[in-house]
């Protein structure tokens, strides 16, 4: 089912709430109007009754009511009067009362206070009666009655009903149109945001949403989306850089292999010459294969590799193992490699990946340290973490390179490192592995004095703990 747009939903809610309010108010107003009309009507009847009693009081059966008074009541078109003595004889009777069967009490004595009755008189409609007993001037007990049709009152009430019944729907219609207009005005910036966001594609990554008012909801939404676009642009740019760098790195060994093969095929050569070509090719292929492996490792980490937290890796054994592997290389360069102060702890994670981190760091240290230099691997515990430092007395790194040192394909001295076989991926892989183990890696360095790489990892357990 298709959902209504926010604009229409807002409008309908608006109209719905207003309809309930109008309905409630109308009912309240009608009840009040009805009460007011009836009480006003009753007050008029009571006033009329008071006048009749006053007019008739001086008279009695022996002394009939003057013609002037009788005629006056005959002339009344909206109220009709009747005054009757206790023995049932009429002292005053408007023409209207003639031949009518009226709701009179049997005796005036049985009347207590003022009585109101409503009657439907056939062919004449609804009437309201007020009846009261009173004592005339000669102490004679009498009953006075006033009747009036309620048609006017009902017409007035219907008028109020119709007025409210007309105003209500008109108000709802206005609310519907106004609400829809206001909703579309309020939602217009969202439409603009949607259009701009749609335009921001991989090709137009630099475009951003306008943030006119950063303090309202839409301003905050635009700012958040802009920040998201910044991050998106940054990661797409990084991806593009990475792809370009990877292609560039792959191209160099491939070009060497191709050129070597083409040159070798041009003229017949000796077996030694062919052997040399094959050796060069093998060398380049092994470089290629290292590079592809490193790229693969990084892309696995990018796609969120899961590190088994349950596996416990004893740090001292792991570092001894790495040192053993690189011992001969260090010895060849007459570099002393020592491991000291290793805490007795284990870390949670993958031992192969963690070995690769320290192998890369020590290998780099050997690589970038001159003969007679010194490499020290040290470990200490800081709170819940263990810090392993790999310190060398090598070439050092200039401060301007330090912030980008862990970036992919970043090399301090491009030509020299490329010639020495470096890909610029080693430290990027280190950072990726350390971060996937919930740790972090830092570097401090001084040109000509040496570098110090520190890896921080959460401790799983101290070894002598049970
Ligand atoms: P590479 O394969 O080129 O060694 P890395 O990512 O391992 O790539 O290192 C990036 C750059 O950092 C290297 O090119 C090198 O210039 C510099 N570097 C790394 N380790 C050291 C070190 N211990 N001493 C001096 N420079 C280093």
């Amino acid at each position: 089912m298709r959902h209504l747009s926010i604009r229409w939903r807002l409008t309908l809610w608006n109209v719905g709430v207003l309809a309930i309010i109008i309905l409630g108010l109308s009912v309240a107003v009608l009840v009040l109007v009805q009460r007011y009309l009836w009480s006003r009507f009753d007050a008029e009847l009571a006033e009329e009754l008071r006048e009749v009693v006053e007019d008739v009081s001086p008279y009695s059966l022996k002394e009939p009511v003057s013609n002037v008074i009788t005629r006056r009541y005959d002339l009344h078109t909206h109220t009709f009067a009747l005054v009757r003595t206790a023995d049932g004889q009429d002292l005053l009777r408007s023409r209207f009362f003639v031949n009518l069967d009226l709701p009179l009490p049997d005796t005036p004595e049985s009347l207590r206070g003022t009585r109101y009755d409503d009657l439907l008189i056939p062919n004449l409609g609804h009437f309201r009666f007020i009846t009261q007993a009173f004592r005339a001037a000669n102490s004679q007990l009498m009953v006075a009655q006033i009747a009036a049709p309620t048609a006017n009152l009902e017409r007035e009430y219907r008028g109020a009903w119709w007025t409210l019944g007309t105003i209500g729907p008109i108000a709802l219609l206005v609310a519907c149109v106004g609400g829809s207009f206001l909703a579309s005005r309020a939602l217009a910036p969202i439409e603009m945001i949607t259009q701009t966001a749609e335009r921001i594609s991989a090709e137009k990554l630099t475009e951003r949403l306008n943030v006119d008012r950063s303090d309202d909801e839409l301003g905050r939404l635009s700012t958040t989306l802009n920040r998201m676009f910044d991050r998106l642009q940054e990661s797409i740019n990084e991806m593009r850089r990475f792809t370009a760098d990877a292609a560039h790195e792959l191209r160099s060994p491939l070009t060497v292999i191709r050129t070597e093969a083409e040159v070798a095929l041009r003229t017949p050569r000796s077996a030694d010459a062919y052997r040399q070509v094959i050796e060069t090719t093998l060398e380049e292929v092994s470089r290629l294969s290292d590079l592809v492996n490193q790229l693969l490792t990084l892309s696995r980490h990018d796609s969120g590799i899961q590190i088994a937290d349950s596996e416990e890796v004893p740090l001292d054994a792991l570092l001894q193992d790495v040192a053993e592997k690189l011992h001969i290389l260090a010895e060849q360069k007459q570099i002393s490699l020592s491991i000291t102060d290793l805490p007795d702890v284990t870390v949670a994670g993958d031992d192969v990946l963690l070995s690769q981190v320290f192998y890369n760091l020590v290998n780099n240290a050997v690589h970038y340290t001159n003969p007679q230099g010194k490499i020290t691997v040290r470990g200490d515990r800081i709170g819940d973490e263990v810090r392993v430092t790999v310190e060398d007395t090598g070439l050092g790194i200039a401060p301007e390179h330090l912030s980008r040192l862990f970036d992919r394909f970043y090399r301090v001295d491009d030509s020299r490192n490329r010639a020495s076989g470096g890909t610029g991926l080693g430290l990027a892989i280190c950072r990726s592995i350390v971060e996937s183990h919930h740790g972090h890696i830092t570097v401090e360095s001084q040109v000509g004095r040496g570098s110090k790489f520190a890896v921080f990892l959460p401790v799983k357990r101290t070894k002598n703990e049970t």
Side-chain angles (χ1 to χ4, degrees):
M1 201 187 85
R2 238 183 121 229
H3 287 288
L4 281 178
S5 67
I6 294 183
R7 176 184 161 186
W8 279 112
R9 267 184 282 163
L10 278 177
T11 309
L12 288 182
W13 270 104
N14 189 22
V15 171
V17 170
L18 198 72
I20 293 171
I21 293 172
I22 289 180
L23 198 73
L25 273 177
S26 303
V27 170
V29 168
L30 285 176
V31 168
L32 287 176
V33 165
Q34 192 186 35
R35 274 199 205 153
Y36 166 75
L37 289 175
W38 279 101
S39 68
R40 197 188 66 188
F41 192 72
D42 285 349
E44 281 168 12
L45 283 182
E47 177 59 25
E48 196 72 18
L49 185 85
R50 198 186 56 75
E51 274 177 30
V52 169
V53 169
E54 212 169 84
D55 286 346
V56 171
S57 272
Y59 300 97
S60 64
L61 281 176
K62 287 181 198 137
E63 207 181 328
V65 176
S66 85
N67 279 343
V68 180
I69 294 176
T70 312
R71 213 171 303 122
R72 189 166 73 211
Y73 283 99
D74 277 346
L75 286 175
H76 280 199
T77 50
H78 277 92
T79 49
F80 310 100
L82 172 74
V83 180
R84 181 173 283 184
T85 59
D87 52 10
Q89 302 207 37
D90 295 342
L91 201 62
L92 173 79
R93 189 179 182 111
S94 298
R95 267 185 308 182
F96 173 78
F97 276 114
V98 181
N99 297 330
L100 275 182
D101 194 11
L102 297 171
L104 266 181
D106 290 343
T107 54
E109 292 87 344
S110 61
L111 261 176
R112 291 274 169 271
T114 311
R115 207 179 83 187
Y116 289 93
D117 300 283
D118 291 300
L119 267 188
L120 173 65
I121 301 178
N123 302 324
L124 290 172
H126 288 278
F127 277 76
R128 189 160 172 84
F129 289 79
I130 179 170
T131 314
Q132 198 182 45
F134 72 100
R135 241 170 235 289
N138 60 1
S139 299
Q140 201 179 0
L141 201 55
M142 298 190 193
V143 174
Q145 190 171 48
I146 300 290
T150 56
N152 277 350
L153 178 141
E154 275 158 18
R155 200 173 310 119
E156 277 183 75
Y157 181 65
R158 268 201 305 277
W161 210 102
W162 276 111
T163 310
L164 287 174
T166 317
I167 289 176
I170 291 175
L172 286 184
L173 195 73
V174 171
C176 188
V177 175
S180 156
F181 172 70
L182 284 180
S184 64
R185 274 200 62 173
L187 293 173
I190 292 192
E191 187 54 36
M192 266 180 55
I193 291 174
T194 313
Q195 284 173 8
T196 316
E198 267 171 13
R199 273 203 310 276
I200 301 177
S201 59
E203 273 63 50
K204 261 190 153 188
L205 273 174
T206 45
E207 194 166 339
R208 290 291 177 271
L209 301 168
N210 267 340
V211 186
D212 296 334
R213 283 165 299 176
S214 56
D215 48 345
D216 67 7
E217 290 84 347
L218 293 176
R220 285 206 302 279
L221 174 69
S222 302
T223 312
T224 310
L225 283 174
N226 278 345
R227 274 198 222 118
M228 197 186 83
F229 292 138
D230 287 345
R231 287 197 299 273
L232 212 65
Q233 185 181 7
E234 180 53 36
S235 58
I236 288 182
N237 285 346
E238 199 178 309
M239 205 176 71
R240 284 178 180 158
R241 261 197 316 268
F242 180 61
T243 317
D245 288 344
H248 185 72
E249 292 298 325
L250 291 169
R251 201 175 54 181
S252 314
L254 287 173
T255 313
V256 174
I257 295 170
R258 189 177 165 176
T259 320
E260 287 278 327
E262 279 172 358
V263 171
L265 286 175
R266 224 169 270 156
T267 49
R269 291 170 195 276
S270 67
D272 263 1
Y274 284 128
R275 172 183 286 278
Q276 210 177 342
V277 171
I278 292 171
E279 272 171 10
T280 316
T281 309
L282 250 181
E283 222 171 79
E284 291 305 324
V285 166
S286 91
R287 264 191 70 176
L288 264 179
S289 125
D290 281 354
L291 184 62
V292 169
N293 279 340
Q294 283 179 319
L295 288 174
L296 215 64
T297 310
L298 276 175
S299 88
R300 270 205 215 110
H301 281 267
D302 284 349
S303 55
I305 188 173
Q306 282 297 316
I307 302 297
D309 278 2
S310 51
E311 207 183 312
E312 280 189 31
V313 183
L315 210 60
D316 51 355
L318 182 127
L319 289 169
Q320 297 287 1
D321 197 36
V322 170
E324 236 166 70
K325 281 186 193 148
L326 290 163
H327 209 70
I328 298 171
L329 195 67
E331 247 173 32
Q332 280 171 0
K333 277 187 84 176
Q334 295 161 1
I335 294 170
S336 91
L337 170 59
S338 60
I339 299 187
T340 57
D341 305 335
L342 289 183
D344 239 3
V345 293
T346 63
V347 290
D350 186 314
D351 58 345
V352 177
L353 293 176
L354 288 173
S355 301
Q356 194 180 345
V357 171
F358 296 110
Y359 185 91
N360 282 357
L361 293 179
V362 179
N363 191 28
N364 275 350
V366 175
H367 212 94
Y368 300 108
T369 302
N370 288 326
Q372 317 305 330
K374 197 171 163 210
I375 299 169
T376 315
V377 179
R378 211 176 265 118
D380 55 348
R381 186 170 176 163
I382 305 170
D384 288 342
E385 286 187 322
V386 58
R387 175 178 65 180
V388 180
T389 56
V390 178
E391 199 172 353
D392 63 53
T393 55
L395 306 177
I397 304 157
E400 66 267 25
H401 298 294
L402 292 179
S403 64
R404 298 199 51 207
L405 203 68
F406 295 97
D407 287 358
R408 293 164 186 197
F409 294 112
Y410 191 78
R411 283 179 285 229
V412 173
D413 182 350
D414 212 24
S415 54
R416 190 189 65 195
N417 291 336
R418 199 192 291 266
S420 66
T423 55
L425 286 176
L427 289 179
I429 290 176
C430 287
R431 184 173 65 176
S432 175
I433 295 175
V434 170
E435 282 177 357
S436 62
H437 282 79
H438 314 292
H440 60 282
I441 182 166
T442 61
V443 59
E444 290 166 29
S445 189
Q446 267 184 312
V447 176
R449 300 195 69 169
S451 312
K452 182 172 165 184
F453 286 86
V455 174
F456 295 79
L457 289 167
V459 169
K460 172 93 172 173
R461 192 168 61 87
T462 305
K463 272 218 246 154
N464 46 21
E465 276 176 10
T466 46

